[in-house]
Amino acid sequence: MPDNFNTVEFMDTLVEGGFPEKQAKALAAAMFQLIDSHLVTKSYLDMRLSEVRAEFRADMAEMKFGLIQWMVGIMIVQTGATAVLLKLIN
């Protein structure tokens, strides 16, 4: 854990405030455990970021496929409509 939480300083502050040393030591240890259990590590963030990137790439590939389907469909309809109009004109 980074030096953000100094257990010795915390314990000394509790003792100066009237806590018995044993109780201050137990409370400092409990606080350290609580804070440490809620920290997020760089490796966790890197792993999570790679998961999000993979999901994003999959979503983009799916959207690209859907867009291509729509474009091909529109081209087919447009070609048919053009053929019908040419037949009607001639």
Side-chain angles (χ1 to χ4, degrees), residues 15-35:
V15 170
E16 288 173 13
F19 277 79
E21 187 173 337
K22 187 175 181 180
Q23 189 178 14
K25 187 176 182 179
L27 185 56
M31 287 294 290
F32 178 82
Q33 275 186 322
L34 177 68
I35 291 169

Side-chain angles (χ1 to χ4, degrees), residues 66-76:
L67 184 60
I68 290 171
Q69 281 181 322
W70 272 98
M71 289 174 66
V72 168
I74 289 171
M75 284 174 32
I76 291 170

Side-chain angles (χ1 to χ4, degrees), residues 2 8 10-12 24-25 37 40 44 54 58 61-62 64 69 81 87 90:
V8 175
F10 183 70
M11 192 176 83
D12 289 344
K25 187 176 182 179
S37 69
V40 176
Y44 172 80
E62 187 178 321
K64 181 179 176 181
Q69 281 181 322
K87 281 286 189 181
N90 291 330

Side-chain angles (χ1 to χ4, degrees), residues 33-83:
Q33 275 186 322
L34 177 68
I35 291 169
D36 191 46
S37 69
H38 286 83
L39 288 179
V40 176
T41 63
K42 183 181 183 313
S43 61
Y44 172 80
L45 289 176
D46 288 342
M47 178 189 66
R48 188 66 187 120
L49 183 60
S50 65
E51 290 173 2
V52 169
R53 282 181 179 154
E55 290 173 16
F56 178 73
R57 286 187 182 116
D59 289 345
M60 290 299 292
E62 187 178 321
M63 287 180 5
K64 181 179 176 181
F65 180 72
L67 184 60
I68 290 171
Q69 281 181 322
W70 272 98
M71 289 174 66
V72 168
I74 289 171
M75 284 174 32
I76 291 170
V77 169
Q78 183 180 10
T79 303
T82 303

